[in-house]
Amino acid sequence: MKILIVSQYFWPESFIINDIAETLKNQGHTIVIATGKPNYPKGDIYNGYASSGVQIENFSDSIEVVRVPLRPRGNGGAINLALNYFSFVWSGLRWFRTLLNDHEFDVIFVFMLSPVTLAIPAIPLKIQKKAHLVLWVQDLWPESLKTTGFVRNRFLLWLTGLMVKGIYTSADTILVQSRAFVQPVSRYARKDKIIYYPNSFLDSIDNKSKAMTVPQELIDLLEQNFCIVFAGNIGTAQSVETLLQVAIHLQHISNFKLVLIGSGSMINWLKDQKDRHKLNNLIFGGQYPSTDMPIIFKRAAGLLVTLKHEEIFSYTIPSKVQAYLAAGRPIIAALDGEGSRIIEEACAGLTCPAEDIDNLTDNIKQLYNMTQGERDNMGISARKYYLEHFEMKQQCKNLISIFEKRISELETEQK
């Protein structure tokens, strides 16, 4: 198949869509990427790129990447983010049709992280190329705007809902990363074109990177202590207050360490709190490429995932859950809804409601008191569930099957 992937975020930024594009290419499909200039998460344009001008390059040897001008997100904040989002829409509408004029596509596949507006440049491309437009919804709008407080005005939320409905109406197929997304997305789109398609994870044995950037000091810490590892974004959605309280409540366990891998908007607040409470069990391990994460995960006693207690987050399966399952280590989760359900269904760890600090610390103590064999059995169950439900090679084959089936259905309807 000839597939155009539209995404505001792409390599060298670290997102699942990079691995999906490469996996689809390796399975024999022609892939082209339409994206912006890389600047996530720090907000500065990466070295080797400029915010102005268009740029065409190759990823993974034969994947053409078309990049349009983009205003970087800077240090965040509502205005900077709004300008960043708008610049991608504007540049995409201005440049994508011209830059892709000589290409033909069967499918235009939009990787829809926030904001929902990033799908807008794909709509005229659908018309120009007479291609099947697929949206892969990773975040719920306008619900996420309301939950985060980014937009509070009811009229603006209503207008956003109208925009979402227009974008969804333009799509031929809508994929959702969680089964719980189906109902809220169906408020703005026909239910018959909504299909559950989960995030997947590229198995570590498939990683081609030979570089290893994890310092020996961190490896020694993980191997010599009972370490619970939290990996990924460290922001407001992850309920960092819960992470802090876990460290405070478990200070009495001498070899317990809560190791945070990653960065985010709340990391400086957490560092201040660590100093204020004199927490020697709260460790900031740094940031590492995804190819190095299995090195860290396999040395952890358990892997931690948390979210805030908000209805919208109960619909979401955090993408780290798939990576944790693949690692074959026990998972400790303070989640509501879908994420918690999957971990329980997989028999992969111990769960409790979001922000339930007492139950979360009790679960960590329970894991601490288990035998190594009991912990290993949880890890084996996690790995098995991953292979059955979230292994990327198979999921990419499933994705192509969805494309082919939906194209066939629409062709039949039009006859």
Side-chain angles (χ1 to χ4, degrees):
M1 273 191 142
K2 296 178 181 178
I3 303 170
L4 173 66
I5 295 176
V6 177
S7 173
Q8 183 168 334
Y9 312 94
F10 193 70
W11 170 88
E13 298 164 320
S14 183
F15 288 94
I16 182 179
I17 197 63
N18 306 345
D19 291 332
I20 287 177
E22 187 169 21
T23 301
L24 288 170
K25 181 209 74 171
N26 291 339
Q27 291 178 349
H29 305 284
T30 300
I31 307 299
V32 177
I33 311 295
T35 188
K37 302 298 180 67
N39 69 112
Y40 182 90
K42 293 185 177 180
D44 299 319
I45 297 293
Y46 283 36
N47 292 335
Y49 299 89
S51 59
S52 61
V54 299
Q55 185 171 343
I56 299 176
E57 59 183 332
N58 281 332
F59 168 69
S60 186
D61 297 329
S62 59
I63 297 178
E64 182 180 353
V65 181
V66 175
R67 297 186 183 274
V68 295
L70 188 75
R71 187 189 190 279
R73 58 198 291 127
N75 59 4
I79 294 177
N80 281 333
L81 288 176
L83 291 173
N84 171 255
Y85 298 161
F86 176 77
S87 70
F88 180 75
V89 174
W90 173 259
S91 293
L93 291 171
R94 167 65 179 84
W95 289 106
F96 282 153
R97 293 184 67 187
T98 301
L99 294 171
L100 298 168
N101 186 57
D102 295 333
H103 294 70
E104 295 297 328
F105 301 107
D106 301 305
V107 172
I108 298 174
F109 181 43
V110 182
F111 179 53
M112 283 187 62
L113 294 171
S114 282
V116 70
T117 53
L118 68 82
I120 292 174
I123 297 172
L125 285 172
K126 168 194 172 176
I127 299 169
Q128 180 192 24
K129 304 297 181 183
K130 298 179 180 179
H132 189 90
L133 179 59
V134 181
L135 309 181
W136 190 17
V137 178
Q138 299 285 323
D139 195 10
L140 294 174
W141 275 51
E143 292 88 345
S144 62
L145 291 178
K146 182 179 179 181
T147 298
T148 59
F150 197 80
V151 175
R152 299 180 185 276
N153 184 280
R154 290 185 178 182
F155 179 69
L156 290 179
L157 289 170
W158 177 77
L159 284 179
T160 302
L162 286 182
M163 178 182 66
V164 171
K165 186 172 184 178
I167 291 171
Y168 286 175
T169 299
S170 72
D172 299 300
T173 301
I174 299 174
L175 307 181
V176 291
Q177 61 106 313
S178 163
R179 294 187 191 280
F181 274 27
V182 172
Q183 192 275 329
V185 169
S186 66
R187 298 171 190 158
Y188 303 98
R190 292 200 333 259
K191 199 168 185 177
D192 62 343
K193 66 179 180 182
I194 303 171
I195 300 171
Y196 168 61
Y197 180 73
N199 288 322
S200 54
F201 182 76
L202 186 62
D203 205 345
S204 59
I205 62 173
D206 292 327
N207 284 322
K208 298 178 180 178
S209 173
K210 304 299 182 185
M212 198 277 278
T213 60
V214 182
Q216 188 63 43
E217 180 182 3
L218 178 57
I219 291 176
D220 291 342
L221 176 91
L222 293 166
E223 292 180 343
Q224 295 168 13
N225 296 275
F226 180 86
C227 293
I228 299 296
V229 169
F230 175 97
N233 188 47
I234 303 172
T236 55
Q238 286 70 40
S239 185
V240 294
E241 299 85 357
T242 298
L243 303 179
L244 174 67
Q245 290 301 318
V246 165
I248 292 172
H249 280 63
L250 296 176
Q251 288 183 85
H252 63 284
I253 302 178
S254 60
N255 65 335
F256 166 77
K257 306 293 181 186
L258 177 57
V259 182
L260 308 185
I261 304 296
S263 187
S265 60
M266 295 295 291
I267 193 166
N268 289 332
W269 179 85
L270 265 181
K271 288 179 177 179
D272 289 342
Q273 293 298 312
K274 173 182 176 174
D275 293 340
R276 180 174 300 179
H277 293 278
K278 299 179 180 179
L279 298 171
N280 60 10
N281 63 354
L282 183 58
I283 309 298
F284 296 92
Q287 290 181 272
Y288 305 94
S290 59
T291 49
D292 281 350
M293 295 312 295
I295 297 168
I296 295 172
F297 289 167
K298 73 179 182 180
R299 290 170 169 81
L303 303 172
L304 176 63
V305 53
T306 60
L307 284 175
K308 291 188 75 66
H309 178 58
E310 298 280 359
E311 181 182 2
I312 189 173
F313 295 136
S314 70
Y315 301 146
T316 301
I317 305 170
S319 58
K320 72 181 70 178
V321 169
Q322 285 89 344
Y324 285 1
L325 290 167
R329 303 302 302 145
I331 300 174
I332 300 292
L335 298 174
D336 300 322
E338 278 294 284
S340 179
R341 182 191 64 79
I342 283 176
I343 294 165
E344 291 171 0
E345 185 175 277
C347 300
L350 303 172
T351 68
C352 69
E355 300 188 60
D356 188 338
I357 295 164
D358 290 338
N359 272 333
L360 178 57
T361 52
D362 285 345
N363 283 345
I364 293 174
K365 291 177 189 176
Q366 183 178 340
L367 188 70
Y368 181 85
N369 290 320
M370 286 181 182
T371 66
Q372 187 60 51
E374 290 172 325
R375 292 198 287 264
D376 287 345
N377 284 337
M378 281 185 173
I380 291 169
S381 295
R383 176 74 181 173
K384 180 181 178 182
Y385 193 89
Y386 156 75
L387 290 171
E388 291 176 355
H389 298 275
F390 301 123
E391 193 276 320
M392 185 172 287
K393 286 184 178 180
Q394 184 56 51
Q395 284 301 319
C396 282
K397 291 177 182 178
N398 294 345
L399 182 64
I400 296 301
S401 295
I402 291 171
F403 291 167
E404 292 174 341
K405 181 180 179 183
R406 287 291 297 152
I407 290 171
S408 176
E409 288 174 348
L410 288 182
E411 288 177 346
T412 300
E413 288 177 12
Q414 294 168 2
K415 288 181 180 178

